[in-house]
């Protein structure tokens, strides 16, 4: 019942290292999300903004495997096709290799990578409830992290989120991002959240799968190979 502040540390009491921090995430209350490494002890400190004090309820939820990675090579798990996650690029380890280019917007080297497998339906991806200038890039994973094909990208959503009524926050922050694409069945895609010109901050990534099906080969670059003499069923 007061203005809270949350801090998460690793290390010992005499050598603390900041992992996450939040002041106001939901009104005057606080929320953080972080990937807790196996075997590492974390200290969570609940405080009040300024000299504020009062009663608090601390909720800790285990979301399972860490689904966000700081580079393509670090991804270990895929995410579901209907997905919601919060993160903060300020705390992401900078990539040592050059970030693959999918957007003409200048990007920094702090990026959040997610892996999703298509199911033959359209996917809608947005960072509408984010607090900085975001960029979304989507890559198709071909053979390796050195072999990525750009599928789509967006810097500023230009009202698309508002039209889909995804979030009222988008109306206030037109610098967030939104994309949609046909996710071919069984095909792996990397969804990368970046900041324009190296901008960083808290982000909320939402992925929504449409219930309809889509044609993965409905544009030239996604043409399906047809071998001579092999029957093809076309609807």
């Amino acid at each position: 019942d007061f203005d809270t502040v949350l801090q998460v540390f690793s290390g010992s009491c005499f050598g603390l290292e900041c992992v996450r921090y939040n002041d106001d995430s939901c009104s005057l209350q606080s929320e953080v999300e972080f990937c807790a490494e196996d075997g590492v002890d974390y200290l969570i400190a609940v405080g009040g903004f300024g000299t504020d004090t009062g009663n608090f309820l601390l909720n800790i939820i285990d979301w399972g495997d860490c689904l966000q990675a700081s580079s393509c090579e670090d991804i270990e798990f895929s995410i579901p096709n209907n997905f919601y996650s919060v993160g903060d690029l300020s705390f992401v380890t900078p990539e040592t290799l050059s970030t693959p280019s999918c957007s003409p917007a200048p990007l920094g080297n702090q990026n959040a990578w997610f892996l999703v497998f298509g199911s033959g339906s359209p996917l809608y991806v947005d960072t509408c409830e984010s607090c900085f200038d975001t960029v979304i890039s989507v890559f198709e994973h071909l053979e390796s992290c050195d072999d990525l094909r750009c599928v789509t990208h967006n810097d500023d959503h230009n009202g698309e989120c508002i039209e889909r009524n995804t979030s009222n926050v988008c109306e206030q922050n037109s610098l967030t991002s939104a994309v949609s694409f046909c996710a071919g069945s069984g095909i792996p895609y990397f969804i990368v959240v970046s900041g324009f010109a190296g901008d960083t901050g808290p982000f909320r990534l939402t992925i929504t799968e449409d219930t309809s099906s889509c044609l993965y080969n409905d544009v030239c670059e996604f043409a399906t190979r047809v071998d001579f003499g092999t029957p093809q069923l076309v609807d």
Side-chain angles (χ1 to χ4, degrees), residues 96-193:
T96 56
L97 302 176
S98 61
T99 304
S101 177
C102 188
S103 169
L107 305 179
N109 61 351
Q110 289 175 276
N111 308 287
W113 289 71
F114 299 86
L115 172 63
V116 63
F117 285 87
S119 62
S121 297
L123 288 182
Y124 298 93
V125 183
D126 70 69
T127 55
C128 287
E129 298 177 72
S130 299
C131 303
F132 65 103
D133 190 349
T134 63
V135 178
I136 291 178
S137 303
V138 179
F139 299 93
E140 182 179 334
H141 186 202
L142 300 177
E143 298 296 332
S144 68
C145 288
D146 296 324
D147 191 12
L148 303 178
R149 184 179 62 79
C150 179
V151 176
T152 186
H153 61 82
N154 178 252
D155 177 16
D156 302 329
H157 65 76
N158 296 323
E160 181 177 344
C161 293
I162 302 173
E163 293 175 4
R164 289 173 37 222
N165 295 319
T166 305
S167 168
N168 291 329
V169 179
C170 276
E171 194 167 3
Q172 303 172 13
N173 183 8
S174 61
L175 300 180
T176 52
S177 312
V179 299
S180 61
F181 65 99
C182 179
S185 181
I187 295 176
Y189 297 91
F190 287 126
I191 296 173
V192 185
V193 178

Side-chain angles (χ1 to χ4, degrees), residues 37-130:
E37 297 182 30
D38 188 27
V40 176
D41 292 332
Y42 294 90
L43 299 171
I44 301 174
V46 181
F49 182 83
T51 59
D52 211 0
T53 61
N55 301 308
F56 69 87
L57 174 65
L58 178 64
N59 292 311
I60 301 177
I61 302 174
D62 184 355
W63 293 104
D65 297 322
C66 297
L67 302 177
Q68 172 187 319
S70 58
S71 69
C72 174
E73 292 81 1
D74 292 334
I75 291 183
E76 296 183 7
F77 305 98
S78 62
I79 60 177
N81 289 7
N82 287 286
F83 179 75
Y84 170 84
S85 178
V86 296
D88 193 330
L89 287 188
S90 305
F91 298 98
V92 171
T93 303
E95 295 194 56
T96 56
L97 302 176
S98 61
T99 304
S101 177
C102 188
S103 169
L107 305 179
N109 61 351
Q110 289 175 276
N111 308 287
W113 289 71
F114 299 86
L115 172 63
V116 63
F117 285 87
S119 62
S121 297
L123 288 182
Y124 298 93
V125 183
D126 70 69
T127 55
C128 287
E129 298 177 72
S130 299

